[in-house]
Amino acid sequence: MSAEANVGTDMDMDKGTLQIQGLTKSFGGGRPVLVDLDLDCPAGSRTAVLGPSGIGKSTLLRLIAGLELPDAGEIRLGQALVSGPGWALEPHRRGVALAFQAPALWPHLRVRDNITFGLRHLGQAAARAAAEDWLARLRLDGLGGRYPDQLSGGQAQRVSLARALAAGRPILLLDEPLSHLDPDLKSALTADLDGWLRAAGTTLVYVTHDPAEVAPLCDRVLGLADGRLKAAMPPPSS
Ligand code: ADP
Ligand code: MG
């Protein structure tokens, strides 16, 4: 069967469920980073994936977002098959938003335009209002007119987070999203994120090497080791 034949419609992807079966990924013929990995995320669930640097966390999120092609296995969003061996539906058609580990902002666009870029379907005024709203929520008021090279690392990371949140997709993928923030801001934004995602019913996959970050935000914690996910860790205490 061709890849296109069983790809679902956008409506199929609205449901916020994520299912991964048998996902395997290697780079350049080396030892696979992910091996026969399974993951099942119900709509509205919040899953943390913990593991040390280099274990494959970002690779997993990039595969879910459609930025990498699996060697083997399948990814489904809602009812729709969106990735299979050697192919992937384009990222913007998947109902998924990803905040990258290293903020990937367009250098030639102002901060607010980095956010409105993905909101053009709303119309200019509404997109601009949404961008300013998310900037304010992330304590970035007044920075909308700056260019990315005029931001600190922590500010750029929050712009990247604002862009992913503003997209309003049913599934949100966060790759070490708070790593550049000081502890007070980190805990305040963690509490805010909890409220925003709960209100929207967003399905979350949050990857980090830091167990302390995920306890308030996620309802289960999985460990990534030897290319697979394991429910090795106890549920978070808070
Ligand atoms: P983590 O996010 O857990 O730190 P990554 O997913 O970034 O880990 O990387 C997992 C492994 O895959 C590392 O050994 C990394 O060097 C390798 N890797 C990731 N992306 C690529 C790529 N595009 N080309 C070659 N190797 C890669
Ligand atoms: Mg990473």
Side-chain angles (χ1 to χ4, degrees):
M1 193 187 305
S2 81
E4 290 299 327
N6 51 2
V7 167
T9 66
D10 289 353
M11 195 176 284
D12 292 331
M13 275 178 257
D14 278 348
K15 308 203 167 59
T17 59
L18 164 65
Q19 286 176 297
I20 300 178
Q21 283 175 323
L23 190 65
T24 297
K25 177 67 181 175
S26 58
F27 292 103
R31 194 163 153 251
V33 177
L34 305 178
V35 184
D36 198 19
L37 177 147
D38 296 330
L39 176 64
D40 197 345
C41 297
S45 62
R46 297 166 351 150
T47 303
V49 173
L50 284 178
S53 182
I55 204 77
K57 304 181 300 298
S58 295
T59 300
L60 173 61
L61 293 194
R62 292 173 58 81
L63 281 155
I64 298 170
L67 296 164
E68 302 281 359
L69 307 180
D71 300 342
E74 291 179 346
I75 301 175
R76 283 188 169 72
L77 301 176
Q79 305 301 311
L81 184 61
V82 295
S83 293
W87 71 273
L89 186 69
E90 299 100 305
H92 65 276
R93 295 179 58 201
R94 294 169 82 97
V96 163
L98 167 62
F100 293 91
Q101 182 168 10
L105 303 175
W106 297 105
H108 60 292
L109 293 183
R110 293 179 193 275
V111 161
R112 77 168 66 83
D113 298 328
N114 262 280
I115 299 172
T116 58
F117 187 80
L119 303 176
R120 284 165 295 179
H121 57 285
L122 298 179
Q124 201 177 353
R128 168 106 185 218
E132 297 297 347
D133 176 44
W134 281 107
L135 287 172
R137 292 196 206 195
L138 289 157
R139 321 316 198 247
L140 295 166
D141 315 65
L143 297 189
R146 290 208 190 165
Y147 286 94
D149 67 359
Q150 298 170 319
L151 302 174
S152 72
Q155 288 168 340
Q157 192 169 41
R158 277 177 285 148
V159 174
S160 178
L161 194 50
R163 182 171 61 180
L165 287 159
R169 303 272 170 81
I171 298 176
L172 180 64
L173 311 174
L174 299 182
D175 195 345
E176 316 233 13
L178 309 175
S179 57
H180 295 302
L181 307 185
D182 65 46
D184 286 349
L185 189 52
K186 199 184 257 197
S187 76
L189 283 183
T190 301
D192 288 351
L193 265 175
D194 181 50
W196 300 331
L197 298 180
R198 237 175 245 285
T202 306
T203 307
L204 175 67
V205 183
Y206 188 118
V207 312
T208 178
H209 64 277
D210 181 1
E213 272 179 24
V214 299
L217 203 52
C218 295
D219 46 40
R220 65 172 170 170
V221 181
L222 305 177
L224 180 56
D226 301 325
R228 290 195 178 86
L229 290 168
K230 294 166 196 180
M233 277 160 237
S237 52
S238 61

